[in-house]
Amino acid sequence: MLEFDVAARADHANTATTGFAPDQAPREMPLAHFYKRVSAHVTPAEWPLIVRDVEAIEVLKRQRNAVVLGHNYQAPEIFNTVADIVGDSLALAREAVTVDADVIVMAGVHFMAETAKLLNPSKTVLMPDMEAGCSLAESITAEDVRLMRAHYPGVPVVTYVNTSAAVKAESDYCCTSGNAVKVVRAVAKEWGVNRILMLPDEYLAQNVQKEVPELELIAWKGHCEVHERFTPTDIRDLRESHPGVVVLAHPECPPEVVEAADFAGSTAAMADYVGDHKPARVVLITECSMADNVAVSHPEVEFVRPCNLCPHMRRITLPNIRRALETMTHQVEIDPLVADRARLAVERMLAIR
C-alpha cells in the first residue's frame, strides 16, 4: 500500500466537496483538504495549532528538495498530511532507492532511517528524534549474529529489516514481514540448504515456518513489544463483543494469535485485504495507528480499534519533523565499512521479486 505525492493528494481532495458539517470544517479553514483526512482525530479547535507546522514543513520541503517517508504506524496527523511516501517497511525501502530528493526525512524509527541511508548514501537522511528506536532491533547485536554463525557454520542468515545496520552487515539477506516467505525460499534454493537462521523475531520465524514446512528455520528470541502483548483471549473477546468482525493479524504476533485470526500479513497486506474484501467490520491486530490511517480510505468499513501504541513511533511529531528540516538534524551516518556489507543484504532482498 503506497500513496505518492502529498501535493497530488491535496489537489485531488480540493476538487471534491468537503463533506463537512458547518461547525466541523468551514471552507475557510486553512488546508481544509488535509483536515478532511484527519478530522476523525483532530478537532477544529486543534487544527489551527497543527496546521502551522504542516504549512511550515511543506515550505521547507520545497526549499530543501526534501521528502518525508511515513510508516503505516505514524500518527494520522503526520501520515495524512506531510508524508510524501507512505507504506510498510518493504515499501519504504523500495521507494527510498528511487526517491528524487536531496533530503529524506524518516517519519518512522531509527532502523528505517538507517535503511534509507544505506540505499541513498549520497543523500542526507534526517531522523527527527534519534531516540525513536525499536524493541525488536535492540534485541540483537552484531556480536550475537557472529556467535550464531559460529554455532551453525555454513547456515545462511536472513535478518529481519527491523535491525540495526551493524546487524544487517553480519547477515546474508534481509527480509520484511511482507516478503519473508519468498526470501527464505529463494535463499534455500540459491544456497542449496534446508536450514536457515532467521533473526531476530521469534514469532515471525515461527509463523513463516508454518508456510515453509520443507525448511528448518532457526530463530532468535526477539519480540516486538507491541505485537507480543496480543493474546488469543483478546481475539475471542473481540469476536464476542463485535459479532461478525474480521480479524487481521500481523505476523510479529505470537503464533497462537495468528492462528486465531482470519488473515495474517504485513501492514501493506492488511491494508490491501481491507481494500480488496471490504469487510463490513474489521479489526487490525497491530499498532493501533494503522487502523486510523487505513480507515481514511475506507469510510464504509467499521474499524474496531484495540489500541497498543508503539512508544517509539510516537516520538516522531510534526514539530520535530519541522525542526529537523529547519536545522538539518539529526543526520544519519553509518560507518562505510558497515554500510557496504549491510547494503548488500538489503539489495539482495530487494532483488527478490
Side-chain angles (χ1 to χ4, degrees), residues 33-72:
H33 49 283
F34 280 156
Y35 183 73
K36 182 178 181 181
R37 299 179 64 86
V38 300
S39 58
H41 312 283
V42 177
T43 68
E46 293 172 311
W47 182 242
L49 301 176
I50 292 172
V51 79
R52 291 182 297 186
D53 286 323
V54 174
E55 290 175 328
I57 290 167
E58 291 300 294
V59 171
L60 286 161
K61 285 195 298 184
R62 291 191 293 270
Q63 292 175 345
R64 303 288 197 191
N65 188 26
V67 295
V68 175
L69 273 56
H71 190 267
N72 286 334

mmCIF file of all heavy atoms in Angstrom, residues 33-72:
data_model
loop_
_atom_site.group_PDB
_atom_site.id
_atom_site.type_symbol
_atom_site.label_atom_id
_atom_site.label_comp_id
_atom_site.label_asym_id
_atom_site.label_seq_id
_atom_site.Cartn_x
_atom_site.Cartn_y
_atom_site.Cartn_z
ATOM 1 N N HIS A 33 -8.252 20.573 2.846
ATOM 2 C CA HIS A 33 -8.117 19.281 2.184
ATOM 3 C C HIS A 33 -7.335 18.304 3.067
ATOM 4 O O HIS A 33 -7.612 17.106 3.070
ATOM 5 C CB HIS A 33 -7.433 19.436 0.830
ATOM 6 C CG HIS A 33 -6.179 20.240 0.857
ATOM 7 N ND1 HIS A 33 -6.174 21.617 0.938
ATOM 8 C CD2 HIS A 33 -4.876 19.859 0.818
ATOM 9 C CE1 HIS A 33 -4.922 22.050 0.953
ATOM 10 N NE2 HIS A 33 -4.113 21.001 0.879
ATOM 11 N N PHE A 34 -6.357 18.801 3.819
ATOM 12 C CA PHE A 34 -5.654 17.941 4.762
ATOM 13 C C PHE A 34 -6.525 17.652 5.983
ATOM 14 O O PHE A 34 -6.539 16.534 6.497
ATOM 15 C CB PHE A 34 -4.344 18.587 5.226
ATOM 16 C CG PHE A 34 -3.201 18.453 4.254
ATOM 17 C CD1 PHE A 34 -2.152 19.361 4.283
ATOM 18 C CD2 PHE A 34 -3.159 17.429 3.325
ATOM 19 C CE1 PHE A 34 -1.086 19.250 3.403
ATOM 20 C CE2 PHE A 34 -2.103 17.303 2.442
ATOM 21 C CZ PHE A 34 -1.063 18.214 2.482
ATOM 22 N N TYR A 35 -7.236 18.662 6.437
ATOM 23 C CA TYR A 35 -8.058 18.463 7.631
ATOM 24 C C TYR A 35 -9.099 17.374 7.404
ATOM 25 O O TYR A 35 -9.409 16.589 8.320
ATOM 26 C CB TYR A 35 -8.748 19.753 8.063
ATOM 27 C CG TYR A 35 -9.541 19.535 9.335
ATOM 28 C CD1 TYR A 35 -8.888 19.386 10.556
ATOM 29 C CD2 TYR A 35 -10.926 19.405 9.306
ATOM 30 C CE1 TYR A 35 -9.599 19.126 11.719
ATOM 31 C CE2 TYR A 35 -11.641 19.152 10.467
ATOM 32 C CZ TYR A 35 -10.974 19.005 11.666
ATOM 33 O OH TYR A 35 -11.668 18.735 12.814
ATOM 34 N N LYS A 36 -9.608 17.287 6.190
ATOM 35 C CA LYS A 36 -10.610 16.267 5.895
ATOM 36 C C LYS A 36 -10.068 14.875 6.204
ATOM 37 O O LYS A 36 -10.799 13.998 6.663
ATOM 38 C CB LYS A 36 -11.029 16.354 4.430
ATOM 39 C CG LYS A 36 -12.116 15.353 4.039
ATOM 40 C CD LYS A 36 -12.525 15.533 2.590
ATOM 41 C CE LYS A 36 -13.622 14.543 2.214
ATOM 42 N NZ LYS A 36 -14.032 14.688 0.794
ATOM 43 N N ARG A 37 -8.777 14.670 5.998
ATOM 44 C CA ARG A 37 -8.174 13.359 6.199
ATOM 45 C C ARG A 37 -7.931 13.035 7.677
ATOM 46 O O ARG A 37 -7.739 11.879 8.028
ATOM 47 C CB ARG A 37 -6.855 13.263 5.418
ATOM 48 C CG ARG A 37 -7.021 13.427 3.915
ATOM 49 C CD ARG A 37 -5.681 13.356 3.201
ATOM 50 N NE ARG A 37 -5.045 12.057 3.343
ATOM 51 C CZ ARG A 37 -5.273 11.004 2.557
ATOM 52 N NH1 ARG A 37 -6.151 11.096 1.563
ATOM 53 N NH2 ARG A 37 -4.644 9.865 2.760
ATOM 54 N N VAL A 38 -7.890 14.052 8.516
ATOM 55 C CA VAL A 38 -7.587 13.816 9.937
ATOM 56 C C VAL A 38 -8.729 14.245 10.855
ATOM 57 O O VAL A 38 -8.575 14.233 12.078
ATOM 58 C CB VAL A 38 -6.291 14.548 10.353
ATOM 59 C CG1 VAL A 38 -5.117 14.063 9.537
ATOM 60 C CG2 VAL A 38 -6.438 16.062 10.226
ATOM 61 N N SER A 39 -9.863 14.583 10.287
ATOM 62 C CA SER A 39 -10.947 15.156 11.085
ATOM 63 C C SER A 39 -11.494 14.191 12.129
ATOM 64 O O SER A 39 -12.114 14.624 13.109
ATOM 65 C CB SER A 39 -12.083 15.635 10.173
ATOM 66 O OG SER A 39 -12.581 14.559 9.387
ATOM 67 N N ALA A 40 -11.277 12.874 11.950
ATOM 68 C CA ALA A 40 -11.745 11.921 12.948
ATOM 69 C C ALA A 40 -10.877 11.940 14.196
ATOM 70 O O ALA A 40 -11.272 11.399 15.236
ATOM 71 C CB ALA A 40 -11.756 10.508 12.360
ATOM 72 N N HIS A 41 -9.704 12.569 14.105
ATOM 73 C CA HIS A 41 -8.745 12.545 15.212
ATOM 74 C C HIS A 41 -8.366 13.926 15.727
ATOM 75 O O HIS A 41 -7.807 14.041 16.809
ATOM 76 C CB HIS A 41 -7.468 11.818 14.782
ATOM 77 C CG HIS A 41 -7.732 10.519 14.098
ATOM 78 N ND1 HIS A 41 -8.092 9.389 14.783
ATOM 79 C CD2 HIS A 41 -7.729 10.180 12.782
ATOM 80 C CE1 HIS A 41 -8.290 8.402 13.917
ATOM 81 N NE2 HIS A 41 -8.085 8.863 12.701
ATOM 82 N N VAL A 42 -8.645 14.947 14.932
ATOM 83 C CA VAL A 42 -8.247 16.309 15.284
ATOM 84 C C VAL A 42 -9.489 17.192 15.269
ATOM 85 O O VAL A 42 -10.228 17.229 14.271
ATOM 86 C CB VAL A 42 -7.204 16.859 14.287
ATOM 87 C CG1 VAL A 42 -6.845 18.303 14.631
ATOM 88 C CG2 VAL A 42 -5.957 15.979 14.278
ATOM 89 N N THR A 43 -9.738 17.901 16.350
ATOM 90 C CA THR A 43 -10.904 18.781 16.406
ATOM 91 C C THR A 43 -10.630 20.066 15.626
ATOM 92 O O THR A 43 -9.465 20.453 15.438
ATOM 93 C CB THR A 43 -11.249 19.144 17.853
ATOM 94 O OG1 THR A 43 -10.207 19.982 18.382
ATOM 95 C CG2 THR A 43 -11.404 17.907 18.718
ATOM 96 N N PRO A 44 -11.683 20.756 15.178
ATOM 97 C CA PRO A 44 -11.471 22.037 14.502
ATOM 98 C C PRO A 44 -10.704 23.039 15.359
ATOM 99 O O PRO A 44 -9.936 23.845 14.835
ATOM 100 C CB PRO A 44 -12.898 22.518 14.219
ATOM 101 C CG PRO A 44 -13.709 21.267 14.141
ATOM 102 C CD PRO A 44 -13.097 20.337 15.158
ATOM 103 N N ALA A 45 -10.888 22.964 16.675
ATOM 104 C CA ALA A 45 -10.169 23.885 17.559
ATOM 105 C C ALA A 45 -8.674 23.584 17.596
ATOM 106 O O ALA A 45 -7.851 24.494 17.760
ATOM 107 C CB ALA A 45 -10.745 23.808 18.968
ATOM 108 N N GLU A 46 -8.318 22.310 17.454
ATOM 109 C CA GLU A 46 -6.904 21.921 17.476
ATOM 110 C C GLU A 46 -6.196 22.199 16.160
ATOM 111 O O GLU A 46 -4.987 22.433 16.129
ATOM 112 C CB GLU A 46 -6.779 20.420 17.777
ATOM 113 C CG GLU A 46 -7.208 19.997 19.162
ATOM 114 C CD GLU A 46 -7.245 18.499 19.296
ATOM 115 O OE1 GLU A 46 -7.834 17.826 18.421
ATOM 116 O OE2 GLU A 46 -6.681 17.992 20.283
ATOM 117 N N TRP A 47 -6.934 22.158 15.060
ATOM 118 C CA TRP A 47 -6.321 22.229 13.740
ATOM 119 C C TRP A 47 -5.476 23.484 13.523
ATOM 120 O O TRP A 47 -4.362 23.394 12.961
ATOM 121 C CB TRP A 47 -7.387 22.089 12.659
ATOM 122 C CG TRP A 47 -6.821 22.109 11.256
ATOM 123 C CD1 TRP A 47 -7.074 23.020 10.281
ATOM 124 C CD2 TRP A 47 -5.912 21.168 10.682
ATOM 125 N NE1 TRP A 47 -6.392 22.722 9.135
ATOM 126 C CE2 TRP A 47 -5.666 21.580 9.353
ATOM 127 C CE3 TRP A 47 -5.278 20.021 11.150
ATOM 128 C CZ2 TRP A 47 -4.815 20.883 8.496
ATOM 129 C CZ3 TRP A 47 -4.431 19.325 10.299
ATOM 130 C CH2 TRP A 47 -4.206 19.767 8.993
ATOM 131 N N PRO A 48 -5.914 24.672 13.919
ATOM 132 C CA PRO A 48 -5.070 25.857 13.690
ATOM 133 C C PRO A 48 -3.683 25.753 14.340
ATOM 134 O O PRO A 48 -2.716 26.328 13.838
ATOM 135 C CB PRO A 48 -5.884 26.993 14.313
ATOM 136 C CG PRO A 48 -7.299 26.533 14.213
ATOM 137 C CD PRO A 48 -7.232 25.055 14.471
ATOM 138 N N LEU A 49 -3.574 25.009 15.441
ATOM 139 C CA LEU A 49 -2.268 24.821 16.070
ATOM 140 C C LEU A 49 -1.410 23.846 15.275
ATOM 141 O O LEU A 49 -0.207 24.048 15.113
ATOM 142 C CB LEU A 49 -2.455 24.295 17.502
ATOM 143 C CG LEU A 49 -3.275 25.176 18.441
ATOM 144 C CD1 LEU A 49 -3.460 24.480 19.785
ATOM 145 C CD2 LEU A 49 -2.606 26.535 18.632
ATOM 146 N N ILE A 50 -2.039 22.801 14.760
ATOM 147 C CA ILE A 50 -1.324 21.781 13.994
ATOM 148 C C ILE A 50 -0.921 22.307 12.623
ATOM 149 O O ILE A 50 0.180 22.052 12.128
ATOM 150 C CB ILE A 50 -2.198 20.522 13.862
ATOM 151 C CG1 ILE A 50 -2.360 19.854 15.225
ATOM 152 C CG2 ILE A 50 -1.628 19.541 12.837
ATOM 153 C CD1 ILE A 50 -3.345 18.708 15.249
ATOM 154 N N VAL A 51 -1.812 23.071 12.013
ATOM 155 C CA VAL A 51 -1.592 23.472 10.628
ATOM 156 C C VAL A 51 -0.373 24.381 10.474
ATOM 157 O O VAL A 51 0.241 24.427 9.406
ATOM 158 C CB VAL A 51 -2.870 24.141 10.057
ATOM 159 C CG1 VAL A 51 -2.992 25.589 10.518
ATOM 160 C CG2 VAL A 51 -2.890 24.070 8.537
ATOM 161 N N ARG A 52 0.013 25.060 11.532
ATOM 162 C CA ARG A 52 1.210 25.915 11.435
ATOM 163 C C ARG A 52 2.440 25.083 11.128
ATOM 164 O O ARG A 52 3.286 25.473 10.314
ATOM 165 C CB ARG A 52 1.398 26.709 12.724
ATOM 166 C CG ARG A 52 0.346 27.788 12.949
ATOM 167 C CD ARG A 52 0.596 28.584 14.205
ATOM 168 N NE ARG A 52 0.518 27.758 15.412
ATOM 169 C CZ ARG A 52 0.589 28.237 16.643
ATOM 170 N NH1 ARG A 52 0.771 29.533 16.842
ATOM 171 N NH2 ARG A 52 0.488 27.427 17.685
ATOM 172 N N ASP A 53 2.543 23.921 11.773
ATOM 173 C CA ASP A 53 3.676 23.040 11.490
ATOM 174 C C ASP A 53 3.554 22.420 10.101
ATOM 175 O O ASP A 53 4.549 22.295 9.379
ATOM 176 C CB ASP A 53 3.773 21.945 12.547
ATOM 177 C CG ASP A 53 4.289 22.451 13.879
ATOM 178 O OD1 ASP A 53 5.176 23.339 13.871
ATOM 179 O OD2 ASP A 53 3.810 21.985 14.918
ATOM 180 N N VAL A 54 2.341 22.032 9.723
ATOM 181 C CA VAL A 54 2.133 21.425 8.403
ATOM 182 C C VAL A 54 2.534 22.405 7.312
ATOM 183 O O VAL A 54 3.264 22.063 6.368
ATOM 184 C CB VAL A 54 0.675 20.975 8.228
ATOM 185 C CG1 VAL A 54 0.426 20.492 6.797
ATOM 186 C CG2 VAL A 54 0.327 19.876 9.228
ATOM 187 N N GLU A 55 2.072 23.645 7.419
ATOM 188 C CA GLU A 55 2.410 24.661 6.417
ATOM 189 C C GLU A 55 3.906 24.913 6.368
ATOM 190 O O GLU A 55 4.499 25.007 5.276
ATOM 191 C CB GLU A 55 1.663 25.965 6.725
ATOM 192 C CG GLU A 55 0.170 25.880 6.484
ATOM 193 C CD GLU A 55 -0.559 27.140 6.914
ATOM 194 O OE1 GLU A 55 -0.121 27.799 7.884
ATOM 195 O OE2 GLU A 55 -1.573 27.475 6.259
ATOM 196 N N ALA A 56 4.538 25.003 7.536
ATOM 197 C CA ALA A 56 5.985 25.251 7.574
ATOM 198 C C ALA A 56 6.756 24.093 6.961
ATOM 199 O O ALA A 56 7.738 24.307 6.216
ATOM 200 C CB ALA A 56 6.436 25.485 9.013
ATOM 201 N N ILE A 57 6.331 22.860 7.243
ATOM 202 C CA ILE A 57 7.017 21.694 6.685
ATOM 203 C C ILE A 57 6.875 21.646 5.173
ATOM 204 O O ILE A 57 7.841 21.349 4.446
ATOM 205 C CB ILE A 57 6.465 20.403 7.328
ATOM 206 C CG1 ILE A 57 6.899 20.327 8.797
ATOM 207 C CG2 ILE A 57 6.937 19.158 6.574
ATOM 208 C CD1 ILE A 57 6.155 19.274 9.605
ATOM 209 N N GLU A 58 5.694 21.980 4.662
ATOM 210 C CA GLU A 58 5.506 21.984 3.208
ATOM 211 C C GLU A 58 6.433 22.995 2.539
ATOM 212 O O GLU A 58 7.004 22.727 1.480
ATOM 213 C CB GLU A 58 4.041 22.284 2.873
ATOM 214 C CG GLU A 58 3.078 21.163 3.250
ATOM 215 C CD GLU A 58 3.409 19.876 2.525
ATOM 216 O OE1 GLU A 58 3.271 19.827 1.288
ATOM 217 O OE2 GLU A 58 3.838 18.912 3.204
ATOM 218 N N VAL A 59 6.615 24.156 3.147
ATOM 219 C CA VAL A 59 7.536 25.167 2.610
ATOM 220 C C VAL A 59 8.972 24.664 2.679
ATOM 221 O O VAL A 59 9.741 24.762 1.712
ATOM 222 C CB VAL A 59 7.392 26.493 3.375
ATOM 223 C CG1 VAL A 59 8.505 27.470 2.977
ATOM 224 C CG2 VAL A 59 6.026 27.116 3.103
ATOM 225 N N LEU A 60 9.346 24.104 3.811
ATOM 226 C CA LEU A 60 10.715 23.621 3.996
ATOM 227 C C LEU A 60 11.037 22.477 3.039
ATOM 228 O O LEU A 60 12.173 22.376 2.543
ATOM 229 C CB LEU A 60 10.917 23.165 5.442
ATOM 230 C CG LEU A 60 11.033 24.294 6.474
ATOM 231 C CD1 LEU A 60 10.772 23.757 7.877
ATOM 232 C CD2 LEU A 60 12.412 24.938 6.398
ATOM 233 N N LYS A 61 10.081 21.622 2.763
ATOM 234 C CA LYS A 61 10.326 20.526 1.819
ATOM 235 C C LYS A 61 10.669 21.078 0.439
ATOM 236 O O LYS A 61 11.572 20.552 -0.229
ATOM 237 C CB LYS A 61 9.104 19.604 1.736
ATOM 238 C CG LYS A 61 8.935 18.703 2.940
ATOM 239 C CD LYS A 61 7.962 17.570 2.687
ATOM 240 C CE LYS A 61 6.572 18.045 2.379
ATOM 241 N NZ LYS A 61 5.618 16.922 2.237
ATOM 242 N N ARG A 62 9.973 22.116 0.025
ATOM 243 C CA ARG A 62 10.283 22.707 -1.279
ATOM 244 C C ARG A 62 11.656 23.372 -1.255
ATOM 245 O O ARG A 62 12.432 23.251 -2.208
ATOM 246 C CB ARG A 62 9.195 23.713 -1.667
ATOM 247 C CG ARG A 62 7.851 23.063 -1.972
ATOM 248 C CD ARG A 62 6.886 24.047 -2.611
ATOM 249 N NE ARG A 62 6.486 25.100 -1.680
ATOM 250 C CZ ARG A 62 5.434 25.024 -0.875
ATOM 251 N NH1 ARG A 62 4.692 23.916 -0.867
ATOM 252 N NH2 ARG A 62 5.115 26.020 -0.076
ATOM 253 N N GLN A 63 11.957 24.063 -0.190
ATOM 254 C CA GLN A 63 13.246 24.745 -0.087
ATOM 255 C C GLN A 63 14.415 23.773 -0.037
ATOM 256 O O GLN A 63 15.474 24.036 -0.623
ATOM 257 C CB GLN A 63 13.261 25.626 1.168
ATOM 258 C CG GLN A 63 12.319 26.813 1.115
ATOM 259 C CD GLN A 63 12.273 27.578 2.428
ATOM 260 O OE1 GLN A 63 12.718 27.085 3.468
ATOM 261 N NE2 GLN A 63 11.723 28.787 2.391
ATOM 262 N N ARG A 64 14.254 22.661 0.632
ATOM 263 C CA ARG A 64 15.340 21.694 0.826
ATOM 264 C C ARG A 64 15.342 20.595 -0.232
ATOM 265 O O ARG A 64 16.248 19.767 -0.244
ATOM 266 C CB ARG A 64 15.208 21.018 2.203
ATOM 267 C CG ARG A 64 15.186 21.957 3.403
ATOM 268 C CD ARG A 64 16.523 22.556 3.673
ATOM 269 N NE ARG A 64 16.595 23.122 5.023
ATOM 270 C CZ ARG A 64 17.569 23.893 5.450
ATOM 271 N NH1 ARG A 64 18.579 24.185 4.632
ATOM 272 N NH2 ARG A 64 17.573 24.377 6.687
ATOM 273 N N ASN A 65 14.360 20.589 -1.110
ATOM 274 C CA ASN A 65 14.155 19.463 -2.026
ATOM 275 C C ASN A 65 14.118 18.168 -1.212
ATOM 276 O O ASN A 65 14.912 17.245 -1.409
ATOM 277 C CB ASN A 65 15.240 19.381 -3.101
ATOM 278 C CG ASN A 65 14.911 18.333 -4.171
ATOM 279 O OD1 ASN A 65 13.744 18.016 -4.405
ATOM 280 N ND2 ASN A 65 15.947 17.780 -4.796
ATOM 281 N N ALA A 66 13.177 18.141 -0.282
ATOM 282 C CA ALA A 66 13.088 17.047 0.678
ATOM 283 C C ALA A 66 11.777 16.295 0.522
ATOM 284 O O ALA A 66 10.770 16.837 0.042
ATOM 285 C CB ALA A 66 13.193 17.599 2.101
ATOM 286 N N VAL A 67 11.800 15.028 0.932
ATOM 287 C CA VAL A 67 10.586 14.228 1.028
ATOM 288 C C VAL A 67 10.508 13.627 2.419
ATOM 289 O O VAL A 67 11.541 13.392 3.063
ATOM 290 C CB VAL A 67 10.528 13.105 -0.030
ATOM 291 C CG1 VAL A 67 10.450 13.669 -1.432
ATOM 292 C CG2 VAL A 67 11.702 12.153 0.122
ATOM 293 N N VAL A 68 9.294 13.369 2.851
ATOM 294 C CA VAL A 68 9.057 12.708 4.133
ATOM 295 C C VAL A 68 8.532 11.313 3.849
ATOM 296 O O VAL A 68 7.537 11.140 3.138
ATOM 297 C CB VAL A 68 8.057 13.488 4.995
ATOM 298 C CG1 VAL A 68 7.728 12.719 6.269
ATOM 299 C CG2 VAL A 68 8.603 14.872 5.332
ATOM 300 N N LEU A 69 9.228 10.303 4.394
ATOM 301 C CA LEU A 69 8.776 8.921 4.311
ATOM 302 C C LEU A 69 8.024 8.597 5.594
ATOM 303 O O LEU A 69 8.564 8.765 6.696
ATOM 304 C CB LEU A 69 9.966 7.966 4.165
ATOM 305 C CG LEU A 69 10.491 7.679 2.750
ATOM 306 C CD1 LEU A 69 10.863 8.966 2.036
ATOM 307 C CD2 LEU A 69 11.684 6.726 2.792
ATOM 308 N N GLY A 70 6.777 8.142 5.468
ATOM 309 C CA GLY A 70 5.952 7.889 6.642
ATOM 310 C C GLY A 70 5.527 6.439 6.745
ATOM 311 O O GLY A 70 4.881 5.909 5.833
ATOM 312 N N HIS A 71 5.890 5.799 7.850
ATOM 313 C CA HIS A 71 5.484 4.412 8.059
ATOM 314 C C HIS A 71 3.998 4.338 8.399
ATOM 315 O O HIS A 71 3.410 5.294 8.908
ATOM 316 C CB HIS A 71 6.317 3.781 9.184
ATOM 317 C CG HIS A 71 6.124 2.309 9.305
ATOM 318 N ND1 HIS A 71 5.198 1.758 10.167
ATOM 319 C CD2 HIS A 71 6.720 1.263 8.675
ATOM 320 C CE1 HIS A 71 5.236 0.433 10.048
ATOM 321 N NE2 HIS A 71 6.151 0.108 9.156
ATOM 322 N N ASN A 72 3.417 3.164 8.128
ATOM 323 C CA ASN A 72 1.985 2.960 8.389
ATOM 324 C C ASN A 72 1.597 3.172 9.845
ATOM 325 O O ASN A 72 0.424 3.383 10.146
ATOM 326 C CB ASN A 72 1.578 1.536 7.977
ATOM 327 C CG ASN A 72 1.497 1.364 6.479
ATOM 328 O OD1 ASN A 72 1.271 2.315 5.744
ATOM 329 N ND2 ASN A 72 1.693 0.143 6.013
#
